Each structure stands twice: as structure tokens, then as C-alpha cells.
Amino acid sequence: MTHTPAHRAEPDTGSRHLALLFVGLMLSMLLAALNQTVLSTALPTIVGELNGVDEMLWVITAYILASTIMMPVYGKLGDLMGRKPLLLGAILVFMAGSVVGALAGTIEVLIAARAIQGLGGGGLIILSQAAIADVVPARERGKYMGVMGGVFAVASVAGPLLGGWFTEGPGWRWVFWINIPLGLLALAGAVLFLKLPRHRGRPRLDVGGMVLLAVATTCLVLFATWGGGRYAWTDPVVLGLIAGTLVTGAAFVAVERRTAEPIIPMHLFRERNFVLTTVAGLLTGVGMFGALGYLPTYLQMVFGVDATTSGLLMVPMMGTLLVTSVLAGRAVSRTGRYKWLPVAGSVVVAVAMGLLSTLTPEQGVWHVCLYIALLGLGLGLSMQVLVLIVQNTFPLRQVGTATAANNFFRQIGATLGSGVVGSVFAGRLADLLAERLPAGALEGGAGGANSLTPAVVASLPEALQDPIVSSYNDALTPIYLWIVPLGLLAAALLCFVAEKPLATTIEKDVEPEALAEGDLVVTADAPGDGPAAPRVDGGDDEERDAGDPREDPAALVPTSSTR
């Protein structure tokens, strides 16, 4: 077949178009990142007003579950049909979910709205990360991925601050309405700035794989969330969900081995680096979302700060995450070395979790700020580098699929972290409140345990405040200690990553969407940059089953004369 040669854009037009493209992608990532953090400070008030404190974890879990299921779908379809139209669709679906959330009158409608948001949100991050790989070589991609990590850092503070300000000002429903102008801005950026490769041909959809993956993921999350809380581990409901997870998971693997265009190809798991970084990302996701999802609620309930202040108290984590993410990305681009960064980051995350487990109501708030700053340092060293390792392992035509698969398992970890931590936290909190409060103490004017908000707790007599505060603290902080081994295990696994040289060129086998000068930037000005080696087209499954050497994962690693 004829291969489109690598183009080197003129420095002025190439840099300008790449900058505009990057701005468009950052707008989409900011929309998704803010959505994951803006609810954190508003959530105690929201669930209290909607009488759904016992369903609080589902407000978080519904979004993560829906976005997790959609990630591999967006990744595969992006590889098959191009990423721009999918990104536009994802933004529109996300905005629709935001409208439903803003109008929600019950906790059930709010949970449904979060699920709709997740259906769109699953594509925002994946498509943005993969689109960068379309135009920036792996060697230069580190600094761009570092800035993308900085977007999450900014959102980790801007989100809680906005959530607190809306809650205390115009009302918590603006937590959802704010996504409409932001979504319109992201749409404009995608339409005007994104000039990405366009893929010819009609994609073959893996419908069976999509359905089985959705069922297996849902069963997994439900049994992890309900087990030991709403239902005993030996309850037929939990046992049925475990069986459903195993059966549909096995069926999914069987289907993926035979379908023409699997959404998670099984050959990905033959690459050691993919397996190691994926498992490490899953473990990190458990710790990150398990810790951060309930920390603002902890700050409001235990330390008595308002919603806005609890957002401000997340600034130390944002600062360290932003700085280390950007510096780590630049260090990778400058030196080409990256293995030590996620190893060190995972160890730092484990240390931070251990320190968070020691928190007590008697300590100063500065202890919390110091510990989450350390957590941000660890996350900044590892999260974006893990994505870069995965993208450097596979050719461009599989970057979206591989990135999505890696993020899928990371989100599985996030879902399990939010679900399990939330379930254990809610169960422990209910038991401790029942044990430490006089019978009927929260009935009547207080509205009951399910209607507890920071304002309600502040209005109670000190004799009731103290047991509530101690119950929140003792229900959450011991869980952080259980997360410590996960960080240490992630660090141990990443020690076995093979530090392959980062590619300095991009190989194209698709037609560009726009051929105007400067619309595509596909090479890096790295020292010793040379022409890309020809890459063989993927073919179909019949050819691979017949012994096509392309099935060998080693043959799938992008190559250039500089590697």
C-alpha cells in the first residue's frame, strides 16, 4: 500500500497550528476534569437536600461506571473512524447530562444524570490523549502530557472552589449549569482547532464485545459496592453478581479473540509494559479516587470548614501535582528516561496514604494540607507517564485502543476505589453513629442521619456534634491505611517495566483531514531525527489467525531509524 510520508511543517505555521490544536484538546480535558472535582465540596449539601445521604456514593460511582464502560468504545472507534466527530458527540452527550442534573428533583434523577454525563465524559479524556499522539512524537509528547496533567491539577482546586462557591451562593445546581458555557467553549475549540487524521472506510463495530464489557463491568462494580454493606458477602445477590462478572468476563475474552475489530484486543496483554502499567494504573486509581472522593466531605464534617474553604484546602495538592507533572514531562522529553518517575511516584502515594490514616479531629488542618500535598507529588510523577509508556509501546493506528484499554482498567480501579471505600465508609459511619448517638437524637428538626449536612451538624448542640465528628473521622481514616499496600505493589510492578527508547517520528497511514500547510505536525526536532520505518498495515483477523507476524506484539512497536 502507499504510505503517506512524514511531513515537517515550517516552524512558524507548525507551532501555531499545534498550539491551537492543543488548546482545543485542553478545553475538552478541562470539561471532564472539572466535572470530577466540582461536586466534591457541593456533595454533602446536595445529598442532604435531596434526602439521599445513604446514596451518596452512587452520585460518584454512576459517572465513573458509565465513563469506564465507554472508554474502550471511544478508543476503538477513534482508531477506526477518526477522533474529531467522536469528541464533538461526547461533548454534546456530556452537556445533556449536565442539564438533567441541574433540573434533578430527587437523588434518583441526579444519579441518572451523572450516568448520562459519564457516557459522554468517557470520551473526553481518552480522545484528547490519543489525539496528541496523532501529531506529536513520543519523545516530545512528555511535555505535552505533563501540561495535560496540569489541567487535572488546576481542576482539582478550581472544581472544589467553584462547587463551594456555587453551594453557598447561587445554589448547587450551578455545579451542573456551569458545564453548558464550558461545553460550548470546548465545542468551538474542537470545531475550529482540531485538524486530525481522517480514516477512510466503514468501521466494523464490536457490538457483542461492547455489551459483554458493559455487563461485566456493571456486575463487578455492583458486587464490590454492595458486598459487605447492603448485602452480606454470602447473600445470593452478591454471589449472583460475582458469577455474572466471571461468566460475562470469560465470554468477553472469547468474543474479543474472534471478532474482526475488538475494542480491547487480546494481543495488548502480550506486551509486558502494557500489563505492568495497566495493573499499576488500576491500583493507583483505587487509591486516588478512594481518597479524594470523600476528603472534602471529611474536611467539612470533621474540621467544620465551609464548602469554599474545603476547596481552598485542596490547593496544596494542586500545586505539587501541577509542578511535578509539568517538570516530569519536560524531564522525559529532555532525557528520554522515564521508568524511575512512576516507581517513585507510587512509593510517595503509599506514604501519603499512610499519613492520611493518622488524621484525628484534634490535629490542625495543616496536617491535611501537608499530606495531600505529598499525595499530589506522587500522582504528578506517575499518572501521565504511565499513559506515555503505553502509547510508546504500540503503533499509531492502535494508540487510541491501547490508551483507552489502559485508562479503562485505571477507571475500574477508580470505580472500585469509590465504590468500596464509599460502601465501607457509609457502613462504618452508620454503625458508629448508631453506637455513639442517643436513640432518636437526629429525628425531628435535624432531619435524620440521611439529611446530615455541614450546616445541620454546626447547628446541633456540642453534645451531639462531638460524636458525629468522631464518627466521620473514625469511619474514613482507617481505610487510607488499607490503601498503602496498593501503592507499594504498584511501585514493585513498575520496577519491571522495560525502558524502551521513545519514538522521535510519527508514522502515518491515514489521510489527513485537512491538507493546508501547517495543519499537521508529525515530526519532532529531536537530535538525530530520521525517517520513519515503513509500517505494515494491520490487515484483518483472518490473516492474523493464519500466522501473520504482525500478531507478534514486538512487531507492533513503532520504529524509526533513531531508535
Side-chain angles (χ1 to χ4, degrees):
M1 65 176 288
T2 303
H3 297 273
T4 304
H7 301 279
R8 184 181 299 276
E10 294 299 322
D12 55 343
T13 58
S15 299
R16 175 169 55 88
H17 281 273
L18 182 57
L20 292 176
L21 181 147
F22 192 59
V23 167
L25 296 179
M26 288 183 67
L27 287 172
S28 298
M29 293 198 71
L30 180 63
L31 186 64
L34 276 176
N35 176 70
Q36 294 183 12
T37 59
V38 71
L39 273 180
S40 58
T41 47
L43 194 55
T45 300
I46 293 174
V47 296
E49 289 187 9
L50 297 180
N51 297 317
V53 171
D54 56 341
E55 301 292 339
M56 178 169 60
L57 72 93
W58 281 106
V59 179
I60 298 175
T61 304
Y63 176 86
I64 298 177
L65 175 59
S67 63
T68 299
I69 292 172
M70 291 302 297
M71 277 183 176
V73 178
Y74 280 114
K76 185 64 180 183
L77 292 181
D79 284 343
L80 293 176
M81 57 186 291
R83 311 191 208 284
K84 182 174 179 176
L86 288 174
L87 184 59
L88 295 175
I91 295 172
L92 290 173
V93 172
F94 182 85
M95 292 171 64
S98 299
V99 172
V100 176
L103 300 175
T106 65
I107 193 68
E108 290 78 15
V109 174
L110 180 66
I111 292 172
R114 292 287 288 162
I116 297 172
Q117 282 186 309
L119 295 178
L124 298 179
I125 296 174
I126 292 301
L127 295 171
S128 298
Q129 288 178 338
I132 282 294
D134 283 335
V135 294
V136 179
R139 179 62 183 265
E140 296 299 306
R141 204 177 303 152
K143 56 188 177 185
Y144 292 95
M145 299 293 281
V147 175
M148 282 187 163
V151 171
F152 287 94
V154 172
S156 70
V157 171
L161 283 176
L162 284 173
W165 184 78
F166 287 138
T167 301
E168 297 170 355
W172 62 261
R173 295 183 187 276
W174 279 92
V175 167
F176 294 95
W177 286 126
I178 189 62
N179 291 326
I180 305 306
L182 287 176
L184 292 174
L185 193 60
L187 277 175
V191 170
L192 297 176
F193 300 154
L194 300 190
K195 305 296 183 182
L196 301 175
R198 183 173 57 195
H199 301 245
R200 300 290 187 182
R202 185 176 181 179
R204 291 174 288 184
L205 300 181
D206 179 18
V207 177
M210 295 177 189
V211 172
L212 288 170
L213 183 65
V215 174
T217 304
T218 302
C219 289
L220 174 64
V221 172
L222 286 178
F223 96 73
T225 302
W226 287 346
R230 177 173 298 186
Y231 302 100
W233 288 109
T234 56
D235 189 279
V237 173
V238 174
L239 295 178
L241 290 171
I242 294 175
T245 302
L246 296 175
V247 171
T248 53
F252 172 74
V253 172
V255 168
E256 297 303 273
R257 291 173 64 88
R258 291 171 174 79
T259 191
E261 294 290 352
I263 58 174
I264 301 183
M266 292 298 104
H267 73 73
L268 297 179
F269 298 94
R270 299 179 189 175
E271 276 289 343
R272 183 176 69 179
N273 278 6
F274 176 81
V275 173
L276 293 174
T277 55
T278 296
V279 175
L282 186 151
L283 296 173
T284 303
V286 171
M288 178 181 177
F289 283 86
L292 298 182
Y294 301 95
L295 196 56
T297 298
Y298 173 86
L299 288 168
Q300 292 178 54
M301 291 297 197
V302 174
F303 290 96
V305 301
D306 57 36
T308 302
T309 303
S310 69
L312 285 171
L313 291 176
M314 304 299 288
V315 168
M317 191 191 77
M318 181 277 287
T320 54
L321 179 56
L322 173 62
V323 172
T324 55
S325 181
V326 172
L327 292 181
R330 289 186 175 276
V332 171
S333 294
R334 185 179 67 254
T335 67
R337 306 298 300 272
Y338 52 85
K339 177 178 176 177
W340 70 273
L341 289 167
V343 174
S346 298
V347 172
V348 173
V349 167
V351 172
M353 291 296 177
L355 292 173
L356 286 171
S357 72
T358 65
L359 289 173
T360 65
E362 293 73 31
Q363 289 179 314
V365 176
W366 70 267
H367 284 90
V368 183
C369 295
L370 178 61
Y371 300 161
I372 63 174
L374 193 62
L375 179 62
L377 175 65
L379 294 173
L381 288 174
S382 59
M383 298 299 284
Q384 296 302 314
V385 178
L386 293 179
V387 176
L388 177 62
I389 294 173
V390 169
Q391 292 184 346
N392 189 56
T393 303
F394 299 98
L396 183 61
R397 61 186 167 82
Q398 293 185 341
V399 159
T401 301
T403 302
N406 178 263
N407 277 272
F408 168 77
F409 287 102
R410 182 183 299 181
Q411 284 294 97
I412 286 290
T415 307
L416 292 176
S418 297
V420 174
V421 171
S423 179
V424 174
F425 173 47
R428 288 170 56 89
L429 178 62
D431 292 341
L432 290 172
L433 288 174
E435 173 187 324
R436 298 177 181 180
L437 288 174
L442 295 180
E443 299 300 329
N450 277 343
S451 296
L452 280 178
T453 66
V456 169
V457 174
S459 68
L460 293 174
E462 187 174 347
L464 292 180
Q465 284 187 28
D466 290 343
I468 292 175
V469 167
S470 64
S471 295
Y472 265 89
N473 183 86
D474 297 345
L476 183 62
T477 55
I479 300 176
Y480 292 141
L481 186 61
W482 304 344
I483 298 175
V484 171
L486 301 183
L488 297 178
L489 178 58
L493 291 173
L494 292 171
C495 288
F496 296 95
V497 165
E499 193 170 46
K500 300 179 180 180
L502 296 172
T504 57
T505 59
I506 290 180
E507 302 155 34
K508 296 287 185 183
D509 61 355
V510 292
E511 297 187 25
E513 183 176 7
L515 297 178
E517 183 180 8
D519 277 351
L520 284 178
V521 178
V522 298
T523 59
D525 293 326
D529 188 16
R535 180 161 52 79
V536 182
D537 183 56
D540 54 29
D541 273 17
E542 288 78 4
E543 293 175 322
R544 289 195 292 267
D545 291 341
D548 193 321
R550 287 164 288 178
E551 184 68 13
D552 180 3
L556 297 176
V557 180
T559 58
S560 75
S561 61
T562 64
R563 298 182 70 175

